[in-house]
Amino acid sequence: MANKKTFSNLLIILLISIIVAVVTFCTTLWYSQQNTSTPNIGTWFKKVFQSEPEATAQPVFHPLDKVVVSVKGERQTHFVMLELAVQTHYPERIKQIDSYMPLVRNALLKMFSKKKYEELQNQQTIEQLQQEVKQTLTDAFANTTIARDIDDVLFTKYVIQ
């Protein structure tokens, strides 16, 4: 009989402790949202426990370093200079893309090594080339979290000489 009474007393104390903790947390959260002079615990809670950052309404463009590659021509070697920008709605998640520039350069070098100068001179090729560069970068980033955050790859400068 004493064991049942002790167990029920412990259960009541545990339930009261849980209720007090929940009420304290909710009150603190409410108070921090009402009082702007104190740090907002709701914002902190979202930053710490939110698994996915929110997408921005407008796209953000992140410029990449200039890339210069050589292409074969009928009589001589030519050069292509590209300046690219990555379009994303998740700028926070692609901040580290700059540290992957060796990967970007390597992927573009491989892609352009299969191209001919005469093929790249065609004005209709720009749209196709842009899609091919996007696919090449997406494939290069396949083993990273960056691939899912690239919405588009834009040419900001394209010079072939």
Side-chain angles (χ1 to χ4, degrees):
M1 188 76 158
N3 282 343
K4 274 187 170 182
K5 191 170 188 168
T6 305
F7 179 73
S8 64
N9 285 342
L10 286 176
L11 188 59
I12 290 171
I13 291 171
L14 180 65
L15 287 173
I16 290 172
S17 297
I18 291 172
I19 291 170
V20 168
V22 168
V23 168
T24 302
F25 178 77
C26 291
T27 303
T28 305
L29 186 62
W30 174 82
Y31 179 75
S32 68
Q33 289 176 348
Q34 301 301 316
N35 189 354
T36 57
S37 65
T38 61
N40 190 336
I41 195 166
T43 305
W44 173 85
F45 186 78
K46 284 181 183 177
K47 282 183 181 178
V48 171
F49 294 107
Q50 188 178 28
S51 60
E52 292 290 321
E54 291 183 26
T56 58
Q58 297 294 319
V60 176
F61 302 94
H62 184 88
L64 299 178
D65 291 343
K66 176 175 36 177
V67 177
V68 178
V69 294
S70 60
V71 292
K72 295 177 185 172
E74 285 184 17
R75 289 183 253 145
Q76 65 184 27
T77 300
H78 298 272
F79 296 95
V80 175
M81 192 261 311
L82 287 173
E83 287 186 13
L84 306 169
V86 175
Q87 178 182 338
T88 184
H89 283 85
Y90 297 95
E92 288 297 314
R93 294 197 306 211
I94 68 160
K95 279 185 176 179
Q96 74 272 16
I97 197 169
D98 291 329
S99 64
Y100 285 92
M101 276 311 291
L103 184 68
V104 169
R105 289 179 189 283
N106 182 55
L108 292 176
L109 182 67
K110 286 180 180 179
M111 187 194 94
F112 278 98
S113 70
K114 300 172 187 168
K115 301 286 183 193
K116 299 279 185 198
Y117 171 75
E118 293 73 26
E119 178 184 345
L120 296 173
Q121 280 291 92
N122 187 351
Q123 290 292 355
Q124 297 171 345
T125 309
I126 298 290
E127 192 69 34
Q128 286 178 310
L129 191 60
Q130 188 172 343
Q131 289 303 316
E132 194 173 344
V133 167
K134 178 184 176 185
Q135 187 60 49
T136 300
L137 292 186
T138 303
D139 292 346
F141 287 124
N143 295 331
T144 69
T145 58
I146 294 173
R148 66 183 176 159
D149 301 323
I150 296 174
D151 295 329
D152 206 358
V153 176
L154 307 172
F155 288 2
T156 55
K157 233 181 225 180
Y158 175 71
V159 178
I160 184 164
Q161 192 175 31

